[in-house]
Amino acid sequence: MSLQSRFICWWLRRRFLPVTRRPLDVARTRAATEKRVWLPQVPAGWQLREQYEGGDIPLRGEWLVREGGAPRTILYLHGGGYYFCSPRTHRAITYGLATRADADVFSLDYRLAPEHPFPAALDDALAAYRRLLADGVRADSLVIAGDSAGGGLALATLLALRDAGDKLPAGALLYSPWTDLAVTGASIRDNDGRDPMFSGDVFARVAALYLGEAGATRATDPYVSPFYADFQRLPPLFMLAGSTETLLDDTRRVAERARASGVNVECEIARGLPHIWPIYAPFMPEARRSLDDSARFVQRVTTIDTTARAQKTAPSGAASSPPPAQSSETSISP
């Protein structure tokens, strides 16, 4: 581990881990996260297009777009336990992926629990993916990505798209994905005390926010917890997790089951690195290397798309709101 990684783990153990042992305070967590977030500068030759007004649904969030448009697209779903964080908090990842993979990145501002429990986030992810394709993005030039809860959401989105007969993206990037909201992985207990970021018992409390009134009876639904799904016919997966994470088994067990179903899976279990370490780019060398590896995966699985698209060529001052969503066919009923 680099000195930077050791320092970040020390800081997380002192400042973040103790909070996960306390009762959940949604408002306080959201406010503290937005207050301390570090925002990278927009890379030269790229444009940030923020779309947070009501008319931007289903593409509510933000684009990082290469001037003239990149030949690939990434749909990014941020982590945060389904109840906090935003596209802003994850710009270190989305900016790093965009510039390395030469891909325009759309980071979705999906609805959060507990105000909007399952299936709101999944409905939003499905609607955004389908709008991207309707706007001209080719499925074989697109990768869906996410971290932590967003990684589980990305995998659930793949499953729902497959089950509905939609065209699937070229692949998926999953960073420390939370894939089992029933919290049955052995690492929840075995790595409690070793994980510098999370206590083992926090996940059951966070899961209750997302599950809402359905409660534990819905925890093993594959669209909630993709670990319980049939993985056949999914596109290639690129997965990362740290060896001391309490969520380690949420990655390791999915990788094993997906491979057994014939899915092409690249999975790295990195010794001692913290939860979703790519978010510490550009400070952490391991984060930079993981984003490099992720970009190579994106370039390897996608087909270059040279088609001009309106959302990529619009000048920075142009209106960015797409037409109203056609949501009647996107809902996953609770």
Side-chain angles (χ1 to χ4, degrees):
M1 288 175 64
S2 65
L3 289 176
Q4 295 93 322
S5 301
R6 294 179 188 277
F7 173 78
I8 288 169
C9 286
W10 171 84
W11 183 88
L12 289 170
R13 192 174 293 280
R14 286 177 61 88
R15 299 296 299 274
F16 197 98
L17 177 62
V19 176
T20 71
R21 301 192 185 281
R22 303 171 191 160
L24 293 177
D25 187 327
V26 173
R28 183 175 180 178
T29 300
R30 290 175 180 172
T33 301
E34 292 296 329
K35 183 177 179 180
R36 67 171 175 254
V37 67
W38 170 81
L39 297 178
Q41 299 232 339
V42 176
W46 295 75
Q47 295 179 355
L48 176 66
R49 296 178 53 215
E50 298 180 270
Q51 301 179 174
Y52 290 105
E53 300 303 322
D56 292 327
I57 296 171
L59 293 185
R60 178 182 170 89
E62 56 187 45
W63 279 101
L64 185 68
V65 183
R66 196 188 72 181
E67 292 178 1
R72 304 170 184 85
T73 303
I74 296 173
L75 170 60
Y76 197 85
L77 307 175
H78 68 81
Y82 293 107
Y83 77 98
F84 73 111
C85 288
S86 67
R88 291 178 69 254
T89 63
H90 284 62
R91 286 180 184 173
I93 293 179
T94 55
Y95 287 18
L97 285 175
T99 55
R100 286 168 168 83
D102 193 15
D104 293 337
V105 177
F106 180 73
S107 187
L108 177 66
D109 188 30
Y110 57 86
R111 289 171 292 170
L112 299 177
E115 298 90 340
H116 304 284
F118 175 82
L122 181 56
D123 283 347
D124 291 354
L126 289 169
Y129 177 86
R130 288 167 173 157
R131 174 54 62 88
L132 290 174
L133 266 58
D135 285 347
V137 176
R138 284 173 36 181
D140 61 4
S141 73
L142 186 152
V143 165
I144 188 169
D147 64 276
S148 194
L153 180 58
L155 191 53
T157 302
L158 281 182
L159 295 167
L161 290 169
R162 180 203 62 189
D163 295 347
D166 288 68
K167 291 182 179 179
L168 296 181
L173 296 170
L174 308 173
Y175 300 143
S176 303
W178 188 19
T179 63
D180 180 12
L181 275 68
V183 197
T184 64
S187 61
I188 294 288
R189 301 178 302 277
D190 296 344
N191 281 344
D192 191 9
R194 300 180 66 212
D195 188 329
M197 192 168 181
F198 289 114
S199 63
D201 63 1
V202 71
F203 295 103
R205 288 180 276 133
V206 174
L209 297 180
Y210 185 54
L211 292 170
E213 294 181 0
T217 60
R218 203 66 185 267
T220 57
D221 183 324
Y223 293 157
V224 172
S225 298
F227 166 68
Y228 299 96
D230 172 3
F231 295 103
Q232 293 184 53
R233 305 189 313 280
L234 290 189
L237 307 177
F238 181 93
M239 307 182 73
L240 298 177
S243 64
T244 60
E245 288 195 55
T246 45
L247 286 182
L248 170 61
D249 281 348
D250 283 52
T251 291
R252 189 162 51 189
R253 294 185 300 166
V254 164
E256 292 170 355
R257 294 192 63 186
R259 284 176 179 142
S261 297
V263 179
N264 184 337
V265 180
E266 298 179 43
C267 182
E268 177 188 356
I269 307 300
R271 183 177 178 181
L273 292 184
H275 187 64
I276 59 164
W277 70 86
I279 204 168
Y280 299 109
F283 309 110
M284 183 193 287
E286 294 91 340
R288 297 194 298 269
R289 286 196 291 270
S290 292
L291 289 175
D292 289 341
D293 293 341
S294 300
R296 283 189 285 270
F297 170 84
V298 172
Q299 292 175 334
R300 188 164 59 248
V301 300
T302 53
T303 299
I304 291 177
D305 183 3
T306 57
T307 304
R309 291 187 289 276
Q311 79 270 22
K312 292 194 170 191
T313 58
S316 57
S320 59
S321 299
Q326 298 177 1
S327 59
S328 61
E329 297 179 0
T330 61
S331 179
I332 299 293
S333 299

